[in-house]
Every structure is written in C-alpha cells, then in structure tokens.
Amino acid sequence: MTIEVDLLRGERVDLGGGRELLGDYLRRWLAQHPRIGPRWRETCERNLRLHLAPLESVRLRDLTPTRVRTWHADALAAGGGPTSIAQSYRFLRAALNGAVDDGLIPSNPCRVRGAGADRAPERPVATVEELGRLIEATTPRHRAAVALAGWCGLRRGEILALQRRDLDLSLSVLRVKQTQTEMLSSKAIFDSAPKTQAGYRSVAIPPHVIPVLEEHLATFAGPTRVFVGRDGGPLRGDALRQSFERARTKVGLEHLRFHDLRPTGQTLAAAAGASLADLMRRLGHASPAAARRYLHASDDRDQQIARALSDLVQQSDPTDRRIDPGR
C-alpha cells in the first residue's frame, strides 16, 4: 500500500536498493560523500561501530520512525554519552537523507525531536584576573597559546596551525587560514582548511598580548610554525591540554578546561562593547547563533552606559533638568 501511494505521488522508490542493509549503506555513503572531513569520518566510523551496531543488519526499507526512536532510547539507556549519541543520530539522519534523494526509501525515518542536538552544559568563563593568573602559571613554551585562546578566542586547532607569516605584530593582527587536525586512531597530524568561509579571518590582538607573542617567537617558535613541540614538530593538542591542566591546578581553577578559554575571550570582547557582527568575525562563524550567547556580557555594559547617561544629567545645571518635548 505504501509503495502504491508513493507511485501515485510520483516519488521514485528503488525497491532493490531498499533491501540493502543499513550498515552497508552507511559505509558506502561515508566513502562516497565528498564533503566529509577526515576527523568527522573517523567519528562516524567509531559511532557506527559503538552505537549504531544494533541497526546495522536492518534493511533500509524496514527502518521506521518507531525503530529509530527505540534505538535512540536504548542507546541512551545503555549509558552511551549524550554527545556520542547525538553525533550518531546526526550521521544516521544525514545518510538517510541521501537514501531519500537516491530513491532508496520514500522518507527519512529519523524523526526524534531534538535527538541531534548536543546540549552541553553551559561552561564557565574566566575573569580578567583569573585569565592573567592562568597565563602566568603556564609553562613559558605554551604561555602564548593560552593567551591567544583567552584574549583572541581562537580554537585550539587554529592556534596550533598558526604560521609565522600569519602574525603581523606591527599591526597587532593575526590571520586564521588553517586549523590543525589530529586523528585519534592513526595519530596522524595535518593542517586543513576552515570548515566555512567565515573561518578565514583576521583577528586583532590586544596590545598587552604582543609582548607575550614576541617572547614566544624569539624563544620557542619553529622556523615557519609558531607552536612546535620539543622535537621541532607540530605541537600536539594533548600536550597543550596537559600543560594547561597543570597551570589551572596551580592557581586553583580546576573547573576550567582549555576549551573554556574561547568563550572567555568572546565574553570579554562583548563586555568591552563588541557587537554581534564583531563577535561573529572574531569567532569565525557564518551564523549569529553561536556568537549571540556571549552578548549577555554586553547587557551589563548597556546598564553601565545607561548609568553614565544619568551621570551626565547630574553633572549638568541642577536648576535646569527639564526636558522640552518640543525640541
């Protein structure tokens, strides 16, 4: 009956393709999809093995919204991490959209509302004083990386991929052109292009950070790469993370992660008066959604502006405080 309705609607459904097992289709989709980066491909392959295994032997045409909903509930009940389950669901939904486009199934059975959203808890941000203590406590080799994360809001991969030519300290600006990617299984490390065009950007460096960068370039940087390990090769993200964790322990800020330095930088920028467009440029986001979360700091600044306006009234002639509506 369903097939007859689909035919009446003019939808093309490949009955033979619908017999393909989901696991086989997902692997084929991953291999053929041109826009999947190596790190996300690795994540999808891991989630297929760890979380999507119960659906691997199901034929495409036998997947129903109820079956997908049951799998999702069971995966969460089994103790799977919410982030990994959300990633698995997004992978499944994207691949099955491809199956719909290819005419293998009439519609996508992934209809669990909100299942693909990664609702990470709101992370803390460091204050100006805390950020200063963190930078000071960090080993000199990694101090500039922490400063760039906290004051410029760069991602860890963007920091680690910086080249000397990307820094123009005379103009107090750096240019983000690539990001360092590290594979979990093979441990391979390479630079890749930003995910979106907005990722290519110039970021103004606060003047007080310039001396930290100058010292780093003179002492620890490689011939071309800004951040290198003791062996002269690219500095690995895990080495930077461990160095940061030692520093945070020294200053009693164990609740902060290195990734919290990026929102710290954006929150401080918002407090300094950055607009939504300003934050989008510094973040490297094409959409305002990510930048908007930091604007609560600007709300505080707006209150300061309002109080300053009242101060202007107080400083004026106290005998003439009337506002003439006709003016």
Side-chain angles (χ1 to χ4, degrees):
M1 180 62 180
T2 301
I3 296 173
E4 292 177 357
V5 171
D6 293 332
L7 291 174
L8 289 174
R9 290 174 177 171
E11 297 178 358
R12 180 178 61 84
V13 180
D14 184 346
L15 298 181
R19 297 190 182 97
E20 186 175 8
L21 299 183
L22 176 65
D24 295 337
Y25 177 77
L26 292 180
R27 291 184 180 86
R28 181 163 63 85
W29 185 83
L30 276 176
Q32 296 176 351
H33 203 288
R35 297 183 61 184
I36 297 179
R39 184 64 182 269
W40 178 242
R41 186 185 309 277
E42 183 184 57
T43 297
C44 290
E45 290 171 347
R46 184 186 70 243
N47 287 332
L48 175 58
R49 184 176 67 255
L50 297 179
H51 302 299
L52 289 165
L55 294 178
E56 275 200 77
S57 59
V58 179
R59 293 183 298 182
L60 285 176
R61 69 182 188 184
D62 292 334
L63 279 172
T64 63
T66 298
R67 200 157 198 168
V68 173
R69 191 176 296 110
T70 300
W71 160 79
H72 182 260
D74 289 346
L76 289 175
T83 297
S84 295
I85 301 304
Q87 291 173 341
S88 302
Y89 182 85
R90 291 199 299 270
F91 166 37
L92 179 64
R93 182 179 58 195
L96 292 180
N97 278 337
V100 173
D101 292 341
D102 292 340
L104 303 179
I105 54 176
S107 61
N108 194 326
C110 292
R111 303 176 191 176
V112 184
R113 187 180 299 274
D118 186 6
R119 297 183 180 84
E122 185 174 351
R123 295 297 306 174
V125 297
T127 65
V128 172
E129 186 270 338
E130 289 172 339
L131 182 55
R133 288 195 289 130
L134 276 170
I135 295 172
E136 184 65 26
T138 303
T139 183
R141 177 176 289 275
H142 303 140
R143 191 170 291 161
V146 175
L148 287 175
W151 285 111
C152 295
L154 268 62
R155 301 174 178 90
R156 184 176 67 180
E158 293 172 341
I159 294 170
L160 296 178
L162 282 173
Q163 306 285 317
R164 281 181 176 267
R165 64 175 181 269
D166 299 330
L167 299 179
D168 190 339
L169 299 189
S170 64
L171 297 178
S172 297
V173 68
L174 64 84
R175 296 174 181 83
V176 178
K177 300 177 181 177
Q178 59 273 319
T179 183
Q180 180 171 297
T181 300
E182 300 178 42
M183 304 301 289
L184 295 176
S185 56
S186 65
K187 305 299 181 182
I189 184 170
F190 53 89
D191 293 340
S192 56
K195 292 181 180 179
T196 66
Q197 190 62 35
Y200 295 92
R201 64 197 189 279
S202 295
V203 179
I205 307 169
H208 70 278
V209 178
I210 298 297
V212 180
L213 290 173
E214 289 176 336
E215 180 179 357
H216 179 86
L217 291 174
T219 310
F220 302 109
T224 59
R225 207 173 186 87
V226 175
F227 294 99
V228 297
R230 295 186 183 277
D231 61 354
L235 178 64
R236 289 190 172 270
D238 196 54
L240 179 57
R241 177 188 61 80
Q242 292 179 26
S243 179
F244 172 79
E245 289 178 353
R246 288 192 294 269
R248 74 180 185 183
T249 299
K250 289 180 183 178
V251 295
L253 296 172
E254 288 87 351
H255 62 288
L256 289 174
R257 302 178 306 175
F258 188 87
H259 292 301
D260 297 329
L261 296 178
R262 176 168 159 82
T264 290
Q266 302 310 315
T267 300
L268 293 177
S275 67
L276 180 61
D278 295 332
L279 292 178
M280 287 176 62
R281 282 193 295 271
R282 288 183 76 83
L283 279 167
H285 278 291
S287 165
R292 189 174 288 119
R293 73 184 65 175
Y294 304 113
L295 285 179
H296 67 274
S298 291
D299 295 338
D300 295 335
R301 181 170 175 82
D302 196 42
Q303 291 295 327
Q304 296 173 9
I305 293 172
R307 287 193 293 269
L309 291 172
S310 289
D311 290 342
L312 292 177
V313 176
Q314 296 296 329
Q315 295 167 11
S316 67
D317 185 352
T319 63
D320 186 14
R321 295 185 180 175
R322 295 172 298 170
I323 299 177
D324 186 349
R327 291 183 180 178

